[in-house]
Amino acid sequence: MATATDCIFGGFSACFLSSEIRVKPLLQSSPVFALRCIDICAPIASVSALSSRTAELLSRLEGRLDRSAIVSADEAGPRYREDPDGKTGARPEVVLRPRTAGEVSDILRLCNEAGQRLVVQGGRTGLAGGARIQPGEAVLSLERMTSVEALDREAATIIAEAGAPLQAVQEAADAAGLLFGVDIGARGTATVGGNVATNAGGIRVLRYGMYRAQVLGLEAVLADGSILTSLKGLAKDNSGYDLSQLFIGSEGTLGVVTRACLRLHPKPATEINAFCALASLDAAITLLALLRRKLGPLLSAYEVNFAPLYGAMIAGMEAPAPLPAGSPVYVLAEIQGSEPDRDGERFAAVLMQAVEDGVIEDVVVSQSPREFRALWAVREEANRFLFSMAGLIGVDISIPLARMATFLGETEAAIRAVDPGADIYVFGHLGDGNLHYQVRTADPAAAYGIVYRGVATAGGGVSAEHGIGLDKKEWLHLVRSDAEIAAMRRLKAAFDPNNILNAGRIFDLAPG
């Protein structure tokens, strides 16, 4: 049986059971800040490694947090350090897991006074390194703040805590006969707070807009512990600055979002999709324009998959492919409507016109909810296929449609000039100009530079929906002016003068 040893530091007791550590408050505060071991038979390396600043911080948090809110680095294990890109973060000073905005306020106020930097984490699905732990940082995890409050049917709004998964919001809306407008592949893990912080996009931006368009108000905690609350859910409120908008897309650098009031939409009575094979990107853009002109707001999604990705991924699919490989471009188009008797006919008529005009080479249209889901599963198969490949670099970019063909041609040529054997896979949300550009190459650094400089030349964005984080900040200057970045720094300095929140994400506070 494992022996238990209590070690006292700054009013907290770390109970060791074998290699585990559980930090819990003592009944009475201890005046001892340096670690004092009662018994030497338990492993103590991780606790003794705590800095005096961290030990003092924990002592000041005593009585403000429950015993499950503080997790040592050893007890936390690797999961807080893991990154979807495979880049392991540093060992955290400690992991703090509040349950309420008040506890977040206490943590931020005390960390701000102590100069303890924090990295804010939600579902840890981000692809730009924003939640990756840097040396000396403690983790502020919102994973226990998962409440989804009862929605307001009349106002079509819902309030959710920052740690609530996107899927929980979607399911609550669906149960009430409503729809939440944002959907992404990581819906079961990605959280509301992270979606707000990165201004998430996903597959239906064409119809409902980015996450920013879904937010009617936020509750956020500033670095000094001040709580800003604007959760009235008003569609119109010009009573001074709309501070909530500052936090959307700020990647946790200005404050910590703890709750969000989100806009809901009528649940569609009709959902139909079509999988189309086309001869070129120009044909796909022509079809997009035709669908927009003929169907208007019925068109809810327009996804693209370029060869050779489609052929490579369907080769390993268990389900049959909707169309054979061989075409240069494949598109998944979706409509959502409120008139089942008319919507399908209108969609079919436009698709037939496109076939007759030679825009579409081949097409299959869903005839049931099962077929509808099966076609979306093909779209999501791209993620599974690409994530299974080792040595792949991926970028999330936005390109004006008018310049996309030139960008794709010139970028591929430049990459192949450096590495003729490079594998290039491209897919994304063509309806809003967002491409996911993936390269397997012997020279990743050169490929990154080629892609991002090409994006800048095309007048695009180096991040369409994933954020800048740590991994893209060296490229930010290509698409944002010196004046814009200087203004961002001034905002950061005003909201977080001690630079404790997600320091070094998006940009470094001091130039250079």
Side-chain angles (χ1 to χ4, degrees):
M1 179 179 294
T3 60
T5 303
D6 285 332
C7 295
I8 303 170
F9 53 98
F12 279 77
S13 167
C15 181
F16 296 81
L17 292 175
S18 183
S19 61
E20 293 185 352
I21 304 174
R22 297 184 179 87
V23 181
K24 59 185 181 181
L26 293 173
L27 294 177
Q28 294 183 344
S29 177
S30 167
V32 181
F33 289 102
L35 178 66
R36 178 163 56 86
C37 259
I38 305 300
D39 189 323
I40 62 171
C41 64
I44 63 172
S46 61
V47 179
S48 62
L50 281 171
S51 66
S52 59
R53 178 177 64 185
T54 304
E56 182 171 357
L57 174 65
L58 295 181
S59 75
R60 297 185 68 189
L61 285 169
E62 178 187 358
R64 301 177 188 275
L65 304 175
D66 67 280
R67 64 180 56 191
S68 297
I70 301 175
V71 183
S72 74
D74 277 358
E75 186 181 28
R79 70 189 185 99
Y80 296 96
R81 303 173 64 187
E82 291 172 348
D83 188 284
D85 283 337
K87 301 175 182 177
T88 302
R91 179 185 175 90
E93 289 290 299
V94 68
V95 178
L96 303 172
R97 308 189 314 141
R99 293 179 302 177
T100 67
E103 292 181 357
V104 173
S105 174
D106 287 337
I107 290 169
L108 264 58
R109 176 176 57 81
L110 294 175
C111 285
N112 191 51
E113 292 172 0
Q116 173 61 59
R117 290 187 173 183
L118 295 164
V119 56
V120 186
Q121 292 189 351
R124 298 185 296 278
T125 59
L127 295 172
R132 191 183 309 131
I133 307 169
Q134 297 301 285
E137 290 181 333
V139 171
L140 177 64
S141 173
L142 304 179
E143 63 190 331
R144 301 172 72 202
M145 300 179 65
T146 59
S147 172
V148 176
E149 301 178 16
L151 58 79
D152 185 331
R153 291 174 183 265
E154 287 70 28
T157 62
I158 191 169
I159 294 176
E161 287 189 313
L166 167 61
Q167 187 170 339
V169 174
Q170 293 173 328
E171 290 174 351
D174 184 70
L178 296 167
L179 172 84
F180 185 61
V182 171
D183 190 23
I184 59 178
R187 63 187 68 84
T189 309
T191 61
V192 168
N195 291 165
V196 170
T198 57
N199 189 26
I203 60 177
R204 295 193 176 97
V205 170
L206 183 63
R207 172 73 173 270
Y208 301 105
M210 297 284 282
Y211 213 92
R212 183 182 301 277
Q214 322 307 319
V215 176
L216 289 171
L218 295 175
E219 176 184 78
V221 184
L222 302 184
D224 65 1
S226 302
I227 301 177
L228 307 181
T229 303
S230 178
L231 297 171
K232 297 176 183 178
L234 300 176
K236 290 184 175 181
D237 187 359
N238 285 336
S239 307
Y241 295 158
D242 186 353
L243 296 176
S244 294
Q245 291 295 318
L246 287 173
F247 300 101
I248 303 171
S250 68
E251 301 187 42
T253 60
L254 301 181
V256 178
V257 172
T258 50
R259 286 192 293 169
C261 180
L262 302 171
R263 185 194 310 272
L264 303 177
H265 306 271
K267 185 177 179 179
T270 305
E271 287 189 313
I272 304 172
N273 52 16
F275 198 81
C276 312
L278 303 105
S280 66
L281 173 60
D282 285 344
I285 294 175
T286 298
L287 178 59
L288 173 61
L290 178 65
L291 291 168
R292 279 174 159 166
R293 186 170 67 252
K294 295 289 188 178
L295 301 179
L298 272 181
L299 184 63
S300 51
Y302 196 79
E303 302 290 290
V304 69
N305 188 311
F306 293 89
L309 174 57
Y310 178 71
M313 72 184 210
I314 66 171
M317 280 178 27
E318 294 183 3
L323 292 175
S327 294
V329 181
Y330 295 85
V331 159
L332 177 66
E334 177 195 80
I335 64 164
Q336 292 182 330
S338 58
E339 300 180 86
D341 294 337
R342 297 183 62 238
D343 296 335
E345 292 180 1
R346 291 181 61 192
F347 191 29
V350 178
L351 294 172
M352 182 59 68
Q353 177 184 338
V355 171
E356 292 173 352
D357 292 345
V359 177
I360 295 176
E361 293 184 333
D362 200 359
V363 60
V364 58
V365 181
S366 64
Q367 302 297 317
S368 67
R370 182 184 63 81
E371 293 180 1
F372 175 84
R373 291 190 297 270
L375 289 181
W376 269 116
V378 174
R379 160 60 178 83
E380 295 191 0
E381 180 69 16
N383 291 321
R384 186 208 61 78
F385 171 77
L386 292 168
F387 273 114
S388 70
M389 297 180 66
L392 195 72
I393 69 165
V395 299
D396 158 56
I397 54 178
S398 52
I399 303 290
L401 290 180
R403 301 175 187 173
M404 189 174 286
T406 299
F407 164 80
L408 289 172
E410 292 180 350
T411 300
E412 179 173 354
I415 290 173
R416 297 204 184 284
V418 174
D419 180 4
D423 296 318
I424 299 174
Y425 303 106
V426 184
F427 71 109
H429 319 293
L430 188 60
D432 52 53
N434 177 191
L435 296 179
H436 301 304
Y437 198 103
Q438 323 288 316
V439 186
R440 185 162 61 177
T441 174
D443 195 343
Y448 276 125
I450 290 167
V451 173
Y452 286 134
R453 284 189 289 272
V455 167
T457 299
V462 297
S463 176
E465 58 184 1
H466 293 169
I468 297 296
L470 293 166
D471 296 341
K472 291 189 176 185
K473 65 180 180 179
E474 67 176 295
W475 308 106
L476 183 63
H477 73 280
L478 294 176
V479 294
R480 296 294 192 197
S481 68
D482 291 345
E484 287 176 302
I485 295 175
M488 294 179 199
R489 287 193 175 106
R490 287 199 295 272
L491 277 173
K492 171 68 171 174
F495 277 75
D496 182 17
N498 292 328
N499 197 24
I500 68 163
L501 293 175
N502 282 10
R505 280 72 174 180
I506 306 180
F507 50 78
D508 294 316
L509 191 54

